[in-house]
Amino acid sequence: MQSIEDLEMHDVPTSSNTLSPLTIKDNLQFPKKISNEPSQEPLSHIKKSLGVSRNNSRETSVLAKEANQLSLGSPFESSSSSDNGPASEDHAHTEPLPYYTKKTGLCYDARMRFHTELSPPKDRSDYHPEDPRRILHIYRELCEAGLVADNNMAIPPVTPNPVYRILARAAKKTEVCLVHDDAHFEFIKSTSSMSDEELGRLEKTFDSIYFHRQTYSAALLSAGAAIETCLAVATGEVKNAIAVIRPPGHHAECDTSRGFCHFDNVSIATQVVRQTHPEQYRKVLIIDWDVHHGNGIQQAFESDPNVLYISIHVHENGNFYPAGPYGDLYHCGVGAGIGKNINIPWPTKGMGDADYLFAFQHVIMPVAFDFNPDLVIIAAGFDAAVGDQLGGCFVTPACYGHMTHMLMSLADGKLVVCLEGGYNLRSISKSALAVTKTLMGEPPERIAETAATRIGVETVRKVVLQQSRYWRCLYPKGEIMMPGSERMHDVIRAYQSKVLHDNHKMINIWIFRERVSRSFEYQVLATKNYSTAVPLLVIFHDPPEVTGVPNAITNQLDLHNTWLADVSKSYVEWAVNHDFGVMDVNVPKFLTGISDEEGDPDDEALKLTEAINELAIYLYDNYIDLRPSPPNPSPPAIPSLTAHPPHPDEALEQIAGVVGFVAENPIRPVTETFITDFAKWYYKRSLLFVNHSHPVWERDKKISKKFGLLKRSHTDGLNAMLRAHESDVEEFLAKRAGLRVERLAVQDEDTIMVAGA
């Protein structure tokens, strides 16, 4: 077997092994008629109407090596021969059923590898991610699997029906300019006559691009290969096809090269097919499963109602390449193309098979069937595959096979796969092999991971809610926020205020600070004795949970099927009954004037933490520190517990204990920035109940005391833990209050719950 480095021009297909056009007659072949004995008399009229004949053996199948080996037996027959005599004349002349003989096409040309870095690094581990060897490794994988009849690879094909080779050609200027402007084409053309020094300076001015004097020819060849592959499927020469091409194209915009891409291959091929076959191919579906958003394809068709573009990619709130809001779920098309652009933007890396299949099952396939395309093209980047460091996701070859298999059910099977990204040579090879096998008719392998992550489910649900206004197949429908409506956390807090006032005479505490006043208006309640009672319990907690079953069509909650789970009130009631002073602080998930509806979740969590800390200090300075009980130290901040100057050590002396409930959030260790032996103090005076299935219990190492005294709950979920451990918390608080010290603290999983006397 030849090495990768030895393979150059010899693996370019010659005219002798390319696909010639097939006539309709060529596409349907019939097996030779086999003399059969007649079946039992009661079934003869059924067989005659179905036009089926009987064979002497049931061992043949559609996977027979030769066409004349195929026979289609009747489903009514047994495996043994009948003794009822010779076949009737009508039955003997019945024509057998035809079977499908079109093959899968493959387009690959070694000349596309000539686009490379000007000075390739000597260290093999330091190659540019868009490595010329990418397409060679894929082609070699297909050959070694026996799918390609290439004598130069010295590997005989295992399959009796190898792929048909489709010749690549250079795209014409008129074809490229169906997507790109004339100036961009001429610019790429000009690079073929530039010096190395000029090319080196030029690539520094571009976004993730390198140039070579062969870039222009390779880019034309890549676009032309995509065109020829799509035309081969469109004209019926092959049933489906894969184009192993580079440089990729889905980042290239109308007037510029971006992200390793120079010409937008898929968009160019789409326009050529629609222009040359306007009656047969009016509607085209483009699925882009590259881990990066295909900004170039979206730009090309966002106003076109007859091209549906669906991209499933990592977005990270616009921080992942190509960056910006263009790939978010709110970009649904422009003008006549509204609703024909669907982005499924993962908010983080690490997405796997189950997440992708969940998106396919709940968004992509329902919309695709509704759209009913004439041709399907996959912009097949394999950089979401397991092992690709740029993508950071965990999609397996089996999952790529399943996604391909689902898309094969559309457009009468007319499916084209065009390579985009993917930068781990092994990952892209195995993934492309799985896709090609599926195209050729082999069932995809089984998938082990079947449960989508919470992030995946939430993202897909948001996409469904956004796109349901444009697609009749997507439910639930309806606006998330109607004009004049109120946020439920405000409505519920008003109810809580009334209940706490009626039951315990709790009053509203006013917050006069510009940054947090609007966010926590009516959110802080206290018993009338908060300024004198010893001890004082100050609680920071999330809003109570609301559970219900929304209407499957309108997404509205029926109030009679909706329940409010307010567990914190039982803790307040216990404290009041035991002569505690209580200050209850409700922390909504959305902070008015601070939070952003479309903001980065990590940034929003940081803003929330900062606002809570600011509020805690404000409450201490203006309400707790004015209490007569000396001394008056500054309050600690939980979970960071960083003491507020000037006397942090004195503050700790006033704290009797810390109780916490952690469901899903990470457990944060305390630091000793301002206070010596802080971790030891925290461990002795803390009690943190942690979700039974929390990752902290999977640690092999002994848990540090900096995390506090952790207790594994026998249940999961914050509300379930609050109920299950209510008596444990009451016992802890009573014990600490009996020590006649001044401070108590309780903490939930998201916010600070600080108690002070």
Side-chain angles (χ1 to χ4, degrees):
M1 183 184 301
Q2 294 171 313
S3 66
I4 293 178
E5 289 74 14
D6 294 336
L7 294 172
E8 290 289 345
M9 290 300 296
H10 66 266
D11 50 1
V12 181
T14 60
S15 59
S16 61
N17 62 357
T18 56
L19 176 64
S20 58
L22 300 175
T23 63
I24 296 178
K25 183 177 180 180
D26 292 329
N27 294 335
L28 298 177
Q29 299 181 7
F30 298 87
K32 296 179 180 179
K33 285 190 284 187
I34 301 174
S35 177
N36 300 295
E37 295 180 358
S39 61
Q40 297 179 3
E41 184 61 26
L43 300 177
S44 60
H45 67 286
I46 301 177
K47 292 182 179 183
K48 182 176 180 181
S49 63
L50 292 176
V52 296
S53 60
R54 179 177 179 178
N55 57 348
N56 294 325
S57 173
R58 297 300 303 276
E59 297 179 358
T60 55
S61 71
V62 294
L63 298 179
K65 293 184 178 181
E66 301 294 339
N68 59 13
Q69 290 179 321
L70 180 67
S71 60
L72 301 174
S74 169
F76 305 104
E77 298 171 325
S78 64
S79 58
S80 60
S81 300
S82 174
D83 297 327
N84 293 338
S88 66
E89 182 177 353
D90 289 341
H91 187 77
H93 290 287
T94 301
E95 289 290 343
L97 295 174
Y99 72 98
Y100 202 60
T101 61
K102 289 183 182 179
K103 293 187 176 183
T104 295
L106 167 68
C107 188
Y108 166 79
D109 194 310
R111 291 174 293 174
M112 286 182 278
R113 293 165 50 205
F114 297 163
H115 163 64
T116 184
E117 295 177 87
L118 290 172
S119 302
K122 296 180 180 180
D123 184 0
R124 284 181 174 270
S125 64
D126 195 31
Y127 277 104
H128 190 280
E130 212 289 278
D131 190 331
R133 296 175 297 169
R134 295 169 59 244
I135 58 173
L136 176 57
H137 275 255
I138 293 175
Y139 180 74
R140 184 182 182 184
E141 187 77 24
L142 299 181
C143 290
E144 290 181 348
L147 307 184
V148 184
D150 186 344
N151 295 329
N152 293 316
M153 297 297 290
I155 301 176
V158 176
T159 175
N161 295 306
V163 295
Y164 275 135
R165 297 295 300 278
I166 301 171
L167 274 178
R169 64 166 175 84
K172 303 173 184 176
K173 178 179 180 179
T174 54
E175 294 170 331
V176 173
C177 289
L178 292 173
V179 174
H180 298 280
D181 60 28
D182 185 79
H184 178 62
F185 180 89
E186 293 298 329
F187 165 73
I188 299 298
K189 181 179 180 180
S190 69
T191 61
S192 60
S193 59
M194 292 184 182
S195 65
D196 289 355
E197 292 76 14
E198 290 175 313
L199 293 172
R201 289 193 298 269
L202 182 64
E203 66 184 31
K204 293 179 181 179
T205 65
F206 276 80
D207 177 15
S208 303
I209 286 293
Y210 66 76
F211 291 101
H212 188 277
R213 277 186 292 276
Q214 296 296 329
T215 295
Y216 170 64
S217 59
L220 286 181
L221 200 59
S222 183
I227 293 171
E228 287 300 304
T229 305
C230 289
L231 289 176
V233 174
T235 57
E237 296 181 5
V238 291
K239 61 180 180 181
N240 51 45
I242 180 170
V244 183
I245 57 178
R246 68 172 293 272
H250 73 149
H251 291 312
E253 297 181 350
C254 170
D255 56 355
T256 189
S257 300
R258 288 190 66 186
F260 312 158
C261 306
H262 298 285
F263 294 144
D264 188 352
N265 305 319
V266 167
S267 297
I268 293 170
T270 299
Q271 293 292 53
V272 171
V273 170
R274 295 171 70 204
Q275 187 182 71
T276 56
H277 300 79
E279 297 300 323
Q280 299 118 302
Y281 297 97
R282 187 174 63 89
K283 296 192 295 182
V284 178
L285 167 63
I286 301 175
I287 302 292
D288 189 343
W289 67 42
D290 191 288
V291 79
H292 303 93
H293 175 241
N295 54 289
I297 302 178
Q298 178 169 314
Q299 182 194 66
F301 299 113
E302 62 184 351
S303 60
D304 193 326
N306 292 319
V307 177
L308 171 59
Y309 175 63
I310 305 178
S311 177
I312 179 169
H313 55 272
V314 173
H315 187 56
E316 291 186 341
N317 194 42
N319 294 315
F320 196 72
Y321 194 88
Y326 199 49
D328 65 24
L329 62 89
Y330 301 104
H331 281 76
C332 304
V334 176
I338 191 71
K340 298 304 191 295
N341 191 92
I342 301 177
N343 288 323
I344 305 175
W346 301 131
T348 182
K349 295 181 181 180
M351 312 307 287
D353 290 355
D355 299 305
Y356 276 75
L357 292 181
F358 189 82
F360 260 73
Q361 293 162 351
H362 290 82
V363 178
I364 296 176
M365 294 309 298
V367 169
F369 278 117
D370 200 354
F371 182 65
N372 193 21
D374 303 310
L375 177 68
V376 180
I377 304 176
I378 303 175
F382 294 114
D383 39 7
V386 175
D388 194 295
Q389 295 182 348
L390 281 183
C393 290
F394 302 100
V395 181
T396 65
C399 182
Y400 284 117
H402 278 276
M403 293 189 291
T404 303
H405 189 262
M406 285 187 274
L407 294 172
M408 289 171 65
S409 63
L410 303 167
D412 298 323
K414 295 181 177 65
L415 176 63
V416 179
V417 180
C418 293
L419 181 66
E420 289 288 350
Y423 309 105
N424 180 295
L425 299 181
R426 177 175 174 81
S427 297
I428 60 173
S429 301
K430 295 299 182 183
S431 300
L433 175 62
V435 168
T436 306
K437 284 183 175 181
T438 303
L439 291 174
M440 297 179 72
E442 183 172 318
E445 295 180 0
R446 294 184 179 184
I447 289 181
E449 179 190 354
T450 57
T453 63
R454 179 176 178 178
I455 293 176
V457 174
E458 290 176 349
T459 301
V460 170
R461 177 169 174 77
K462 290 178 182 178
V463 173
V464 169
L465 289 173
Q466 178 68 20
Q467 292 288 340
S468 63
R469 66 193 72 180
Y470 310 118
W471 296 96
R472 58 187 177 183
C473 60
L474 295 182
Y475 297 96
K477 300 183 183 295
E479 296 290 336
I480 299 176
M481 183 177 67
M482 299 181 182
S485 57
E486 299 289 340
R487 288 190 178 273
M488 278 304 297
H489 71 237
D490 294 326
V491 176
I492 291 173
R493 189 54 176 174
Y495 158 78
Q496 284 182 309
S497 300
K498 184 178 186 306
V499 171
L500 292 175
H501 179 269
D502 292 345
N503 294 341
H504 308 299
K505 306 304 179 184
M506 297 182 71
I507 58 176
N508 181 54
I509 297 294
W510 295 98
I511 309 298
F512 297 101
R513 182 164 293 182
E514 182 178 356
R515 174 176 159 80
V516 295
S517 60
R518 289 185 61 199
S519 302
F520 295 102
E521 188 176 10
Y522 303 112
Q523 304 295 340
V524 183
L525 304 174
T527 54
K528 291 184 177 180
N529 65 341
Y530 77 90
S531 62
T532 58
V534 177
L536 172 66
L537 181 65
V538 182
I539 306 173
F540 285 69
H541 63 86
D542 295 337
E545 293 183 359
V546 177
T547 59
V549 180
N551 186 289
I553 305 299
T554 65
N555 199 40
Q556 295 178 349
L557 282 170
D558 295 325
L559 294 182
H560 66 280
N561 281 331
T562 305
W563 294 268
L564 179 68
D566 188 3
V567 185
S568 64
K569 67 181 181 182
S570 61
Y571 286 86
V572 173
E573 182 176 358
W574 179 89
V576 171
N577 291 339
H578 288 79
D579 298 323
F580 281 62
V582 178
M583 188 175 289
D584 181 89
V585 183
N586 182 73
V587 181
K589 294 288 187 180
F590 183 89
L591 299 181
T592 305
I594 295 179
S595 298
D596 183 359
E597 287 278 12
E598 304 174 17
D600 182 2
D602 292 335
D603 291 343
E604 297 308 307
L606 180 60
K607 291 178 182 178
L608 180 63
T609 301
E610 292 174 348
I612 294 169
N613 284 329
E614 185 175 348
L615 177 65
I617 295 173
Y618 176 86
L619 290 175
Y620 180 82
D621 289 341
N622 293 274
Y623 292 100
I624 300 174
D625 195 30
L626 300 178
R627 290 157 49 84
S629 53
N632 293 318
S634 300
I638 310 291
S640 62
L641 286 177
T642 52
H644 185 62
H647 304 295
D649 292 319
E650 292 181 9
L652 292 185
E653 292 177 3
Q654 308 301 320
I655 300 174
V658 178
V659 179
F661 291 89
V662 182
E664 297 178 354
N665 286 359
I667 301 175
R668 303 179 182 92
V670 298
T671 60
E672 299 185 352
T673 305
F674 300 106
I675 308 172
T676 57
D677 296 327
F678 194 15
K680 184 184 297 184
W681 175 92
Y682 184 53
Y683 181 78
K684 288 182 178 180
R685 300 202 181 194
S686 64
L687 179 61
L688 288 96
F689 297 97
V690 183
N691 220 37
H692 183 79
S693 58
H694 195 280
V696 72
W697 304 121
E698 300 175 4
R699 294 165 60 101
D700 295 331
K701 300 179 181 179
K702 183 179 179 181
I703 299 175
S704 171
K705 292 183 179 181
K706 292 182 178 181
F707 291 98
L709 179 60
L710 305 186
K711 296 292 184 181
R712 188 171 190 175
S713 177
H714 59 272
T715 186
D716 286 330
L718 186 59
N719 271 345
M721 287 195 297
L722 285 168
R723 292 190 185 94
H725 301 288
E726 185 173 346
S727 60
D728 298 326
V729 174
E730 291 170 356
E731 181 181 351
F732 180 86
L733 294 177
K735 180 180 178 181
R736 293 298 178 181
L739 296 177
R740 302 197 61 79
V741 291
E742 306 257 339
R743 295 284 191 274
L744 295 169
V746 183
Q747 172 191 8
D748 77 1
E749 66 166 319
D750 293 318
T751 61
I752 309 168
M753 301 178 74
V754 180

